[in-house]
Amino acid sequence: MSKIEQTLSIIKPDAVERKLEGEIKEMFKNNGFVILKEKKIQIEKNEAEKFYKVHEAKPFYNDLCDYLSSGPIVVMVLEKENAVLGNRNLMGATNPKDAKEGTIRKKYGISIDKNSVHGSDSVENAKIEIDFFFSN
Ligand code: CDP
Ligand code: MG
């Protein structure tokens, strides 16, 4: 049975700044993802804090929210079969040093904080995150 899913992807400020938007989108398309929606925006720190609320107790939370709001980002809804896990696999490990060959973070990530992309980690969170950015 096919399980078409949608997931939220963000091209983070380090990658937008290095003009990698086109190359990263090509990687999604080459891996069978359809980009259903996309927009380039810059968010306020308080919005980043809401988006990353799950991490609020972590030592990196403040820097993470400063970073996500530091420059333009590209927010996308990606669709394909098993999109959530497929996107996590294509992104690679959180720390680019641990990411496998062929993944976005291996290819473009600079460091654990400047790791070029965000992707939802579950179908449930994908719905919440898509709503966060695309519910008008
Ligand atoms: O993005 P991912 O789901 O792979 O990782 P996460 O554990 O949900 O962490 C969210 C983001 O916080 C990461 O993508 C990193 O940018 C950042 N982070 C960090 O700066 N330092 C850490 N030790 C862990 C995560
Ligand atoms: Mg995460």
Side-chain angles (χ1 to χ4, degrees):
M1 211 177 74
S2 74
K3 207 173 62 166
I4 295 288
E5 294 172 355
Q6 295 176 2
T7 191
L8 185 90
S9 170
I10 303 177
I11 303 177
K12 292 182 174 181
D14 66 276
V16 175
E17 193 180 11
R18 286 177 289 149
K19 307 199 188 309
L20 296 171
E21 178 185 340
E23 287 178 51
I24 291 175
K25 280 192 214 159
E26 275 309 300
M27 284 182 80
F28 288 128
K29 290 180 206 160
N30 290 340
N31 281 274
F33 290 93
V34 175
I35 301 172
L36 287 185
K37 295 180 186 177
E38 63 172 291
K39 59 181 178 184
K40 188 186 270 184
I41 54 173
Q42 181 162 358
I43 61 173
E44 300 289 338
K45 185 171 181 186
N46 72 303
E47 296 174 281
E49 285 168 349
K50 263 187 246 166
F51 181 73
Y52 275 130
K53 188 146 181 54
V54 45
H55 292 306
E56 72 183 328
K58 308 267 173 64
F60 57 83
Y61 178 65
N62 188 57
D63 286 347
L64 175 61
C65 296
D66 275 336
Y67 168 63
L68 194 70
S69 57
S70 68
I73 57 176
V74 179
V75 188
M76 292 166 288
V77 178
L78 304 181
E79 184 176 84
K80 77 169 202 172
E81 257 183 55
N82 301 311
V84 171
L85 185 61
N87 182 39
R88 295 295 305 190
N89 289 338
L90 180 58
M91 285 162 59
T94 305
N95 190 339
K97 280 189 204 146
D98 302 328
K100 290 190 185 132
E101 213 54 59
T103 63
I104 296 172
R105 283 167 164 171
K106 170 75 180 181
K107 199 161 180 200
Y108 300 117
I110 296 169
S111 55
I112 191 162
D113 48 328
K114 295 185 173 165
N115 58 7
S116 301
V117 279
H118 166 85
S120 309
D121 63 5
S122 67
V123 172
E124 190 192 357
N125 284 335
K127 290 199 177 98
I128 293 168
E129 292 182 354
I130 288 167
D131 236 45
F132 185 91
F133 282 109
F134 290 101
S135 69
N136 308 313

